[in-house]
């Protein structure tokens, strides 16, 4: 399988911008990605604890109105069941048929509604309230979720999400390819048949990548970290190195059977498009 194989699913993720200028820029980014990748859908994140519920909806409305296929992220940790039900109805009325379904990051103030505590409960709730209307993607963690008590319990809870009705999974990003294939091998052994799409984080900025990776439990291998540190003051070399590393990762993933790629674009098109061009040649 390679980037020209349209039986694979390629998708790109955005976060809802906070300003009008950001929204303008996002639309340009979307156009640039569409020219090169033509992803099957764009997913739109949902801020910690539902903090971007309105801005996520705003971007979903904006892009859906242009007939762009959108998968909003939806999380349960900061929302009541009624809020979630209303949101699901709104998405249905906008023609949305795919969701990325999460517990969500715990907001800084630690607040939770306690109505739905884990993603499997949200998947069940969506199935109870909307039947099979939505294609549901859930999160998977080849390097384990940072709060998980053990690899075994993390996988057990992943299975709960599949049993609750998930159609597919998207992974946290990783740079250790073995972790991904170990995870998919385990799925095969446990008779889990849903596609597990690797989440791909382009490397563009050392400081933010390190901060984010520490928080979400994604390991940056030493050889990558050292090289990025060495390029700290040389943005062009850092980006070129990042594109090379991530292109090779994507190439190997597709060659070895990954069902597609989900790009965490951070609302930027250039690195993702450059990686794609490397995959297509
Ligand atoms: P869960 O599957 O509920 O797991 C959370 C933790 O609880 C894990 O450690 C798990 O092992 C454990 N667990 C699960 N069930 C139980 C149980 N019954 N009892 C005890 N422990 C349990 N965050 C956002 O806020 N907004 C987003 O838009 C967003 N998008 C994301 C997209 C992708 C593709 C990924 C991979 C992550 C995304 N995140 C997002 C981050 C995600 O919300 C966090 O990683 C969050 O901490 C866990 O969400 P989850 O859906 O994996 O939770």
């Amino acid at each position: 399988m390679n980037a020209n194989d349209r039986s694979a699913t390629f998708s790109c993720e955005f976060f809802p911008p906070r300003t009008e200028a950001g929204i303008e820029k996002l639309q340009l980014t979307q156009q640039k990605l569409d020219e090169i990748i033509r992803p099957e859908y764009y997913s739109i994140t949902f801020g910690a604890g539902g903090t971007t519920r309105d801005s996520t909806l705003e971007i979903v409305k904006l892009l859906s109105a242009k007939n762009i296929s959108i998968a909003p992220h939806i999380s349960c940790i900061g929302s009541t069941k009624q809020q979630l039900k209303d949101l699901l109805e709104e998405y249905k009325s906008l023609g949305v048929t795919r969701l990325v379904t999460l517990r969500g990051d715990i907001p800084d103030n630690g607040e939770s509604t306690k109505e739905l505590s884990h993603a499997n409960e949200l998947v069940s709730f969506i199935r109870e309230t909307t039947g099979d209307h939505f294609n549901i993607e859930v999160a998977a963690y080849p390097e384990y979720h940072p709060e998980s008590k053990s690899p075994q319990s993390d996988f057990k809870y992943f299975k709960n999400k599949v049993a609750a009705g998930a159609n597919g999974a998207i992974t946290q990003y990783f740079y250790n390819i073995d972790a991904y294939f170990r995870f998919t091998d385990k799925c095969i052994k446990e008779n889990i048949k849903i596609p597990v799409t690797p989440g791909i984080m382009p490397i563009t900025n050392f400081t933010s990548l390190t901060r984010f990776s520490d928080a979400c439990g994604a390991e940056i291998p030493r050889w990558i970290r050292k090289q990025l540190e060495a390029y700290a003051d040389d943005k062009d070399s850092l980006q070129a190195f990042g594109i090379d590393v991530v292109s090779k990762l994507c190439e190997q993933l597709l060659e070895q059977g990954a069902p597609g790629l989900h790009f965490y674009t951070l609302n930027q098109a250039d690195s993702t498009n450059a990686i794609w061009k490397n995959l297509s040649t």
Side-chain angles (χ1 to χ4, degrees):
M1 194 176 286
N2 64 33
N4 298 314
D5 180 348
R6 295 318 289 197
S7 68
T9 301
F10 300 104
S11 49
C12 291
E13 181 171 310
F14 293 145
F15 61 85
R18 294 210 183 110
T19 60
E20 281 303 315
I23 294 175
E24 284 296 312
K25 190 175 159 247
L26 180 70
Q27 293 178 84
L28 278 179
T29 298
Q30 185 272 324
Q31 283 166 14
K32 285 187 190 170
L33 291 166
D34 240 29
E35 278 163 20
I36 306 291
I37 304 184
R38 281 187 298 116
E40 182 155 327
Y41 66 91
Y42 293 90
S43 82
I44 316 290
T45 65
F46 197 73
T51 44
T52 66
R53 195 179 298 114
D54 292 343
S55 44
T56 300
L57 180 58
E58 193 189 331
I59 298 299
V60 174
K61 280 184 180 162
L62 182 78
L63 297 181
S64 301
K66 298 180 179 177
N67 271 333
I68 297 164
S69 179
I70 300 297
H73 295 207
I74 184 167
S75 76
C76 57
I77 193 85
S79 301
T80 63
K81 286 185 182 176
Q82 191 57 51
Q83 283 170 325
L84 293 165
K85 205 169 168 198
D86 293 346
L87 195 55
L88 292 169
E89 281 310 315
E90 181 106 38
Y91 285 148
K92 269 177 85 172
S93 72
L94 291 169
V96 169
T97 56
R98 190 189 282 264
L99 295 170
V100 181
T101 301
L102 307 138
R103 179 197 73 179
D105 283 325
I106 296 175
D108 292 340
N109 61 16
E111 271 177 20
S112 137
T113 64
K114 308 253 183 333
E115 289 196 17
L116 297 171
S117 305
H118 294 289
N120 67 303
E121 295 166 30
L122 179 56
V123 175
S124 297
F125 180 75
I126 295 171
R127 289 290 177 235
E128 276 159 30
T129 50
T130 60
D132 286 335
H133 177 81
F134 294 105
N135 187 91
I136 298 178
E137 303 286 337
V138 290
Y141 300 87
E143 295 181 314
Y144 314 120
H145 185 262
E147 291 164 39
S148 69
K149 293 198 181 68
S150 67
Q152 289 77 7
S153 71
D154 211 28
F155 197 81
K156 180 178 98 184
Y157 294 131
F158 174 70
K159 273 172 76 174
N160 285 351
K161 297 193 272 197
V162 180
N167 303 96
I170 301 172
T171 75
Q172 185 56 275
Y173 69 88
F174 55 86
Y175 300 105
N176 293 310
I177 195 166
D178 287 353
Y180 170 78
F181 284 112
R182 219 160 230 285
F183 188 91
T184 53
D185 283 350
K186 179 122 178 100
C187 288
I188 293 167
K189 276 191 202 122
E190 303 262 344
N191 207 22
I192 292 176
K193 298 204 167 89
I194 62 167
V196 178
T197 304
I200 303 298
M201 180 68 87
I203 299 174
T204 53
N205 180 304
F206 178 57
T207 314
S208 56
L209 182 72
T210 321
R211 197 180 52 233
F212 200 50
S213 301
D214 288 346
C216 73
E219 189 190 46
I220 307 176
R222 181 182 155 82
W223 66 273
I224 297 181
R225 190 181 278 264
K226 284 281 172 198
Q227 189 61 79
L228 294 177
E229 272 168 7
Y231 287 142
D233 298 321
D234 180 356
K235 202 168 167 237
D236 290 346
S237 298
L238 186 145
Q239 289 199 346
F241 172 73
I243 288 166
D244 185 45
V245 167
V246 178
S247 300
K248 293 209 164 77
L249 173 70
C250 293
E251 197 177 277
Q252 287 170 19
L253 283 164
L254 292 173
E255 270 172 18
Q256 293 175 45
L261 301 168
H262 177 81
F263 291 100
Y264 295 108
T265 70
L266 302 179
N267 294 4
Q268 313 279 339
D270 293 352
S271 286
T272 302
N273 275 346
I275 293 165
W276 185 266
K277 284 179 185 161
N278 285 341
L279 293 177
S280 310
T281 51

